[in-house]
Amino acid sequence: MPKVAKNTDFLQQLAEVREEVAALRRAGWERDELPFYPTSLHGLVYEDNTSFTTLWETVLSPRTAKLSLGLVFIGDVVTATNTGGDWQVVFNDVTVAASGTVPATFAFVFPALTLDLSPYRAAAQLKVQVQIRRTSGAITGGKYGGGGSIGGAPRYARLL
């Protein structure tokens, strides 16, 4: 195997390291973790509304092309009646980027999404909301008295 003589000049090595660090900074990180914040009216991650309500949200600078998002949802059980519902991810209070259902089986669902941020790359900020609504289940009782609740949370959020 051929051997390569390394430069022993300290200043030359320092210049090479600085150039590599500058290139990495220009390229950005391959993955950035993204925090989400709870916004439920009850202050917890459960809601019993029959219209879409935001549970979690964040505002980001869309410097990457994709958002990898993992979610978890579960319905409630009130006097042997299971609660089901719908979930959606909304951009800027308007655009529904992804949606799905929470089955009325009192079982967890784990949606894993890769959302395209390309249309928003020129924007200074992008608001991302995770919303839920109850579509079936008890109409009284439950965690807050308005019927069964839907619980949800982000498991991970990464900018790719």
Side-chain angles (χ1 to χ4, degrees):
M1 199 176 242
K3 296 191 177 199
V4 178
K6 289 193 174 191
N7 189 350
T8 58
D9 180 27
F10 176 74
L11 292 178
Q12 181 66 29
Q13 288 177 347
L14 181 61
E16 290 172 4
V17 169
R18 284 184 174 174
E19 183 179 325
E20 289 175 11
V21 168
L24 287 172
R25 285 185 179 154
R26 285 191 302 273
W29 296 102
E30 184 178 333
R31 291 182 175 217
D32 286 334
E33 294 289 329
L34 184 66
F36 272 79
Y37 303 97
T39 60
S40 170
L41 296 174
H42 297 300
L44 296 172
V45 293
Y46 287 93
E47 270 299 338
D48 55 11
N49 288 322
T50 56
S51 59
F52 277 109
T53 304
T54 301
L55 282 184
W56 298 87
E57 72 180 12
T58 193
V59 176
L60 62 103
S61 297
R63 7 174 248 284
T64 62
K66 295 179 182 175
L67 170 62
S68 176
L69 185 60
L71 303 170
V72 59
F73 297 101
I74 189 169
D76 199 355
V77 176
V78 179
T79 62
T81 302
N82 291 329
T83 301
D86 297 323
W87 62 266
Q88 65 183 15
V89 177
V90 178
F91 289 160
N92 287 336
D93 296 319
V94 178
T95 307
V96 177
S99 62
T101 60
V102 180
T105 58
F106 198 56
F108 289 99
V109 289
F110 298 97
L113 319 165
T114 301
L115 304 174
D116 183 22
L117 300 180
S118 299
Y120 306 97
R121 294 279 303 266
Q125 63 186 22
L126 175 66
K127 184 177 182 181
V128 181
Q129 298 170 297
V130 176
Q131 299 180 338
I132 57 94
R133 72 176 172 187
R134 186 187 72 205
T135 57
S136 65
I139 57 173
T140 60
K143 190 164 183 71
Y144 301 113
S149 299
I150 301 291
R155 294 181 295 131
Y156 60 85
R158 294 183 191 104
L159 294 170
L160 303 177

